Amino acid sequence: MAGQVRSLGCTSPNDRLDVYRNAYFIRLEAALAHDFPVTEKILGKKNFARCAADYALANPSGSPSLREFGHRFANWLRAEESPMLGDLAAIEWAALNVFDGPDANAADAQRLHAFTPEEWPSLHIRLMPTLTLLTLGSNADRVWLEKGEGIELEAAPVHYIAIWRGEQYRPMLVGVDTDNHAVLDIIAREPELAVASERLAEELDPASVPRRIATALHRALAHGWIASIEIGHSFADEPRY
């Protein structure tokens, strides 16, 4: 582009273009700092600015909007900096999605009682669009809850959390046990209960799958994590290849 830019006094076209290039990177850094304030606090402003610049070079923004610019930041931090920072950024991104994610009404807690046992295989379960399930190997959840004050980010035993929209669009965070996480994680990808059950039976004791699913669904309904439970087409009627 330098050939299309005029010199201005002693300022060369390249120097003039640098003004816009630097301003663009500063704007990207500011957008990430807005979306990941606790991560910035843990890293420190100087290190965060370095990470933001490296991330921007590796993941150029492809949209006029900066809203989605940070959607790869957690995975980038996990790979380039540390898994613990990736955990923290993933929590902050999930909390951001709580604020401006799609709206949906939670299904009634008694919804499962409307179906007979014979109808369960054909149930389709849609989780709330702002619900995010995360696997953590650090205390990033505690750090986030304390807003990065008075607690260091450090490794911790693997555990699971759920983040979802509470009242007045506030992000809510709670720990999830292994069974519930396994069930809900598969349902998020396989909403048809028969398919989800088969996937679980490949990983867990098949005889325990019905109890695990029923328990997880009742708890999810109690938390307001399920948007709908409806009768769909029967998995048994689908062609198998």
Side-chain angles (χ1 to χ4, degrees):
M1 292 178 63
Q4 303 177 49
V5 179
R6 295 179 180 178
S7 298
L8 182 63
C10 61
T11 305
S12 70
N14 282 335
D15 288 340
R16 298 187 71 191
L17 286 171
D18 280 346
V19 173
Y20 291 96
R21 183 184 64 182
N22 293 339
Y24 179 67
F25 270 89
I26 290 170
R27 181 71 186 94
L28 294 177
E29 177 193 336
L32 288 177
H34 174 272
D35 292 345
F36 302 93
V38 182
T39 303
E40 183 192 33
K41 183 176 292 186
I42 295 298
L43 271 169
K45 289 186 178 296
K46 185 176 181 179
N47 281 333
F48 187 86
R50 171 186 58 80
C51 287
D54 290 346
Y55 172 76
L57 288 170
N59 300 272
S61 176
S63 167
S65 169
L66 290 174
R67 170 59 182 87
E68 295 299 321
F69 177 56
H71 77 283
R72 295 191 182 97
F73 194 48
N75 287 338
W76 184 88
L77 283 173
R78 188 171 282 114
E80 301 296 331
E81 295 294 321
S82 83
M84 296 183 296
L85 284 169
D87 285 350
L88 182 57
I91 293 173
E92 294 204 272
W93 188 253
L96 185 68
N97 287 332
V98 160
F99 179 73
D100 63 2
D103 289 320
N105 294 320
D108 185 88
Q110 301 300 313
R111 180 62 174 154
L112 286 176
H113 297 295
F115 304 103
T116 66
E118 292 75 21
E119 291 175 318
W120 273 55
S122 59
L123 294 183
H124 279 64
I125 299 165
R126 184 169 63 91
L127 301 179
M128 295 293 284
T130 56
L131 174 69
T132 299
L133 301 167
L134 294 175
T135 303
L136 306 180
S138 68
N139 66 338
D141 44 342
R142 290 183 57 206
V143 172
W144 180 76
L145 288 169
E146 297 296 331
K147 299 181 179 179
E149 298 287 349
I151 182 171
E152 293 186 4
L153 183 64
E154 56 189 17
V158 172
H159 58 286
Y160 310 100
I161 64 168
I163 298 175
W164 77 101
R165 178 182 292 166
E167 294 182 358
Q168 298 180 343
Y169 284 71
R170 292 177 54 195
M172 306 295 291
L173 183 154
V174 70
V176 179
D177 66 35
T178 303
D179 278 0
N180 284 352
H181 177 268
V183 172
L184 295 177
D185 184 57
I186 286 181
I187 286 176
R189 292 177 277 115
E190 301 283 4
E192 188 174 354
L193 194 57
V195 178
S197 299
E198 285 202 349
R199 300 291 181 269
L200 281 168
E202 294 170 359
E203 302 175 9
L204 307 171
D205 173 20
S208 71
V209 167
R211 174 184 55 79
R212 292 172 191 258
I213 287 179
T215 301
L217 291 181
H218 277 287
R219 290 180 180 175
L221 282 165
H223 279 298
W225 295 346
I226 295 179
S228 66
I229 304 176
E230 304 295 341
I231 294 289
H233 62 286
S234 173
F235 179 69
D237 294 336
E238 291 186 353
R240 306 301 298 275
Y241 301 100

